[in-house]
Amino acid sequence: MSLAEPQDNGGAARRGRPRSEAVEEAVRAAVTGLLEEGVPLADVSMERIARTAGVGKATLYRRWAGKEELFVDVLRSVEPPEPELPGTSVRDDLIALLEALRRRGLAKRSSAFLYSAFAQMRSHPTLWEAYRATVIQPRHRMAVEVLRRGVENGEIRADLDIEFLNDLFMGPLLVRTVIRPGAPLEDDLPARIVDAVLAGVRPPAGDRPIAD
């Protein structure tokens, strides 16, 4: 059974009209189902996705420019959502960022789709670049902005390179999710990482701004 597209009064589909959530859900389910079944990423074409979802190929192209954009959209729908930063302190914001990274690590361990997707993506440079530009870079910019604010507020030393700082905070979780995928991801791990690194990158007590 196919999922019919909602019709305009004028007949032809128009860009900018409200999307059909049922159609999009069927398409995302088709992509995740194919990969969970072990279908190689190279064989997951737009034609095959449309056929599996029970929609026309034109339906896909009205919503996604191509396979890369569709696949990244599916990944983002399955991964845990982006964190909302509390903004109360650099420490709190960093813990929120690392907690989101920890949750993604747990999701990849428990989701056959995510496990298969990330195992194959590196061998598909165009797809990996689309994911990096759409998902990884915005997260990186968010973390860098938090660290810059910490330097400006006097919570972090100003003599350290921002990118180096980002590596110090994010590195331990990346090690446990990528290099040591079986390593524990305890609930308190983000706070322990942040507190350990902050202890080494805070300005000396005499250099910190005096609170009002």
Side-chain angles (χ1 to χ4, degrees):
M1 175 173 22
S2 63
L3 290 169
E5 278 274 62
Q7 295 296 315
D8 292 326
N9 291 334
R14 294 195 300 264
R15 288 186 179 276
R17 70 180 180 176
R19 293 178 173 182
S20 165
E21 292 183 4
V23 169
E24 292 187 357
E25 188 59 34
V27 171
R28 293 190 181 102
V31 175
T32 57
L34 288 169
L35 285 186
E36 286 174 348
E37 291 167 8
V39 178
L41 189 54
D43 294 342
V44 183
S45 64
M46 292 291 269
E47 291 82 358
R48 188 165 186 175
I49 294 168
R51 186 169 62 252
T52 304
V55 301
K57 191 167 69 171
T59 297
L60 301 187
Y61 284 106
R62 273 195 290 271
R63 290 161 169 78
W64 299 280
K67 174 179 171 179
E68 289 78 18
E69 184 177 309
L70 167 55
F71 197 73
V72 170
D73 184 39
V74 173
L75 279 174
R76 296 187 72 174
S77 72
V78 175
E79 288 188 325
E82 298 300 323
E84 291 188 11
L85 303 184
T88 49
S89 68
V90 167
R91 177 184 182 273
D92 291 344
D93 286 352
L94 287 170
I95 290 174
L97 288 170
L98 266 63
E99 172 60 14
L101 188 58
R102 186 186 76 89
R103 288 181 179 275
R104 290 188 186 97
L106 291 172
K108 289 173 188 176
R109 293 179 182 182
S110 62
S111 167
F113 165 70
L114 288 175
Y115 180 84
S116 175
F118 282 95
Q120 297 186 63
M121 271 209 316
R122 292 287 188 168
S123 60
H124 296 267
T126 304
L127 180 55
W128 176 252
E129 177 56 29
Y131 181 79
R132 189 184 68 83
T134 307
V135 181
I136 296 178
Q137 286 185 339
R139 293 171 183 167
H140 177 263
R141 287 194 293 269
M142 184 184 300
V144 166
E145 180 57 34
V146 169
L147 293 170
R148 285 202 177 109
R149 191 171 73 250
V151 172
E152 292 169 1
N153 294 344
E155 297 176 75
I156 295 175
R157 285 163 44 195
D159 63 323
L160 298 173
D161 178 75
I162 291 291
E163 292 293 339
F164 174 66
L165 282 170
N166 185 64
D167 291 345
L168 289 177
F169 283 103
M170 303 298 163
L173 263 171
L174 291 175
V175 166
R176 293 199 182 198
T177 56
V178 179
I179 299 175
R180 296 170 53 209
L185 294 172
E186 305 97 334
D187 291 351
D188 65 341
L189 183 59
R192 287 194 286 122
I193 293 172
V194 170
D195 288 339
V197 178
L198 276 179
V201 300
R202 283 195 181 101
D207 295 340
R208 296 177 199 169
I210 300 173
D212 293 335

